[in-house]
């Protein structure tokens, strides 16, 4: 199975900060990577698929990139509504897998 | 408007069975893959399984943790996708979400239901 690791697992930041979350895959997943945001008690929300394609309606402060098997989600200027847990998911090889999540909290 | 509504969750004893339903609306049901994803209390997301679209004969894939115990099926005329769960274990306790996969090769889950809670306990 493809393992996804995320770092950090927890991040404390302030409104306006630039935030970067990293997701590393245990093998090549050829850009089959998505990012989701989840708030407490709510279903996950798709932010980005195929590494860097922003979903309709997602603010442009979110962006994604890759370098080999390392993938990055960047929030350019953190807003109050961005405090949540973020998950990456690989969609290349079954079984599909999620990263363990990164919780972004208010500093 | 795309909507996914899960139902069928509840309390079940270990070894028991439960069938979850996901009612889909607002899109062409047969054109989309559908996934089930679960989340144990306080834990992360776990992919459970997939039903491919009609063009791929609604074939299925499963996580190793549920293979042989869970079955995904569809009722196309009624736009329903089911998750039949047998031989339930305590570790199957989770909120279960159904999710629609978008169109395209690198499709991801672009719409999710609100989830339904399954509790396996004696």
């Amino acid at each position: 199975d493809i393992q996804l690791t995320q770092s950090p697992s927890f991040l404390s930041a302030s409104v306006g900060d630039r935030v970067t979350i990293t997701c590393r895959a245990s093998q090549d997943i050829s850009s089959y990577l998505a990012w989701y945001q989840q708030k407490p008690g709510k279903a996950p929300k798709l932010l980005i698929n195929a590494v860097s394609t922003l979903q309709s309606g997602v603010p442009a402060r979110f962006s994604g990139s890759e370098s080999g098997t390392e993938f990055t989600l960047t929030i350019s200027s953190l807003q109050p509504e961005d405090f949540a847990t973020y998950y990456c998911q690989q969609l290349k090889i079954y079984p599909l897998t999620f990263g363990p999540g990164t919780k972004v909290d208010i500093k | 408007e795309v909507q996914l509504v899960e139902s069928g969750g509840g309390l079940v004893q270990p070894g028991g069975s439960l069938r979850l339903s996901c009612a889909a609306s607002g899109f062409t049901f047969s054109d989309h893959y559908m996934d089930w994803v679960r989340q144990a209390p306080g834990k992360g997301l776990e992919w459970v399984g997939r039903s491919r679209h009609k063009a791929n004969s609604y074939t299925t894939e499963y996580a190793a943790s549920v293979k042989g115990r869970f079955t995904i099926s569809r009722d196309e005329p009624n736009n329903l996708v089911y998750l039949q769960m047998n031989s339930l274990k305590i570790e199957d306790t989770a909120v279960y979400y159904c999710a629609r996969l978008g169109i395209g090769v690198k499709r991801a889950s672009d719409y999710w239901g609100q989830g339904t809670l399954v509790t396996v306990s004696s």
Side-chain angles (χ1 to χ4, degrees):
Chain A
D1 297 4
I2 293 179
Q3 310 300 319
L4 297 179
T5 57
Q6 284 184 238
S7 59
S9 53
F10 180 84
L11 187 161
S12 186
S14 300
V15 172
D17 283 353
R18 181 181 181 90
V19 167
T20 299
I21 299 169
T22 298
C23 175
R24 289 184 178 86
S26 59
Q27 58 186 275
D28 175 46
I29 56 173
S30 304
S31 305
Y32 283 72
L33 187 105
W35 289 98
Y36 300 88
Q37 176 194 68
Q38 188 180 34
K39 297 181 179 179
K42 300 294 186 181
K45 173 188 175 183
L46 178 63
L47 298 176
I48 288 171
N49 74 304
V51 175
S52 59
T53 301
L54 214 61
Q55 280 298 105
S56 175
V58 174
R61 63 181 179 273
F62 290 91
S63 64
S65 63
E66 70 173 307
S67 177
T69 57
E70 182 172 302
F71 303 87
T72 300
L73 173 69
T74 299
I75 310 171
S76 60
S77 178
L78 200 66
Q79 297 302 301
E81 60 268 29
D82 301 336
F83 293 96
T85 300
Y86 294 84
Y87 296 92
C88 56
Q89 183 194 25
Q90 68 83 15
L91 299 120
K92 173 67 175 175
I93 295 174
Y94 295 108
L96 307 186
T97 46
F98 288 91
T102 294
K103 184 175 182 180
V104 178
D105 209 344
I106 302 172
K107 196 174 205 176
Chain B
E1 180 195 4
V2 173
Q3 282 198 318
L4 299 170
V5 180
E6 301 96 336
S7 60
L11 175 64
V12 61
Q13 292 189 334
S17 297
L18 209 57
R19 188 178 79 164
L20 306 183
S21 301
C22 172
S25 60
F27 64 99
T28 304
F29 181 67
S30 58
D31 283 351
H32 289 264
Y33 288 24
M34 299 292 295
D35 279 1
W36 286 94
V37 174
R38 68 183 180 184
Q39 188 168 36
K43 302 297 183 182
L45 302 171
E46 180 186 14
W47 178 80
V48 172
R50 167 168 291 181
S51 167
R52 295 183 179 86
H53 52 28
K54 186 174 184 177
N56 284 144
S57 305
Y58 295 136
T59 52
T60 54
E61 301 284 348
Y62 297 96
S65 57
V66 307
K67 197 168 186 179
R69 300 188 299 124
F70 290 12
T71 302
I72 299 172
S73 61
R74 296 209 199 196
D75 175 355
E76 184 181 322
N78 293 299
N79 286 3
L80 291 164
V81 59
Y82 298 110
L83 180 65
Q84 176 67 44
M85 304 185 295
N86 299 330
S87 303
L88 281 160
K89 305 175 181 180
I90 291 175
E91 53 264 38
D92 294 320
T93 294
V95 173
Y96 285 74
Y97 297 100
C98 69
R100 185 193 86 162
L101 279 292
I103 299 292
V105 176
K106 295 178 181 176
R107 63 198 88 205
S109 299
D110 59 358
Y111 284 91
W112 296 64
Q114 83 288 352
T116 187
L117 176 62
V118 172
T119 303
V120 185
S121 174
S122 54

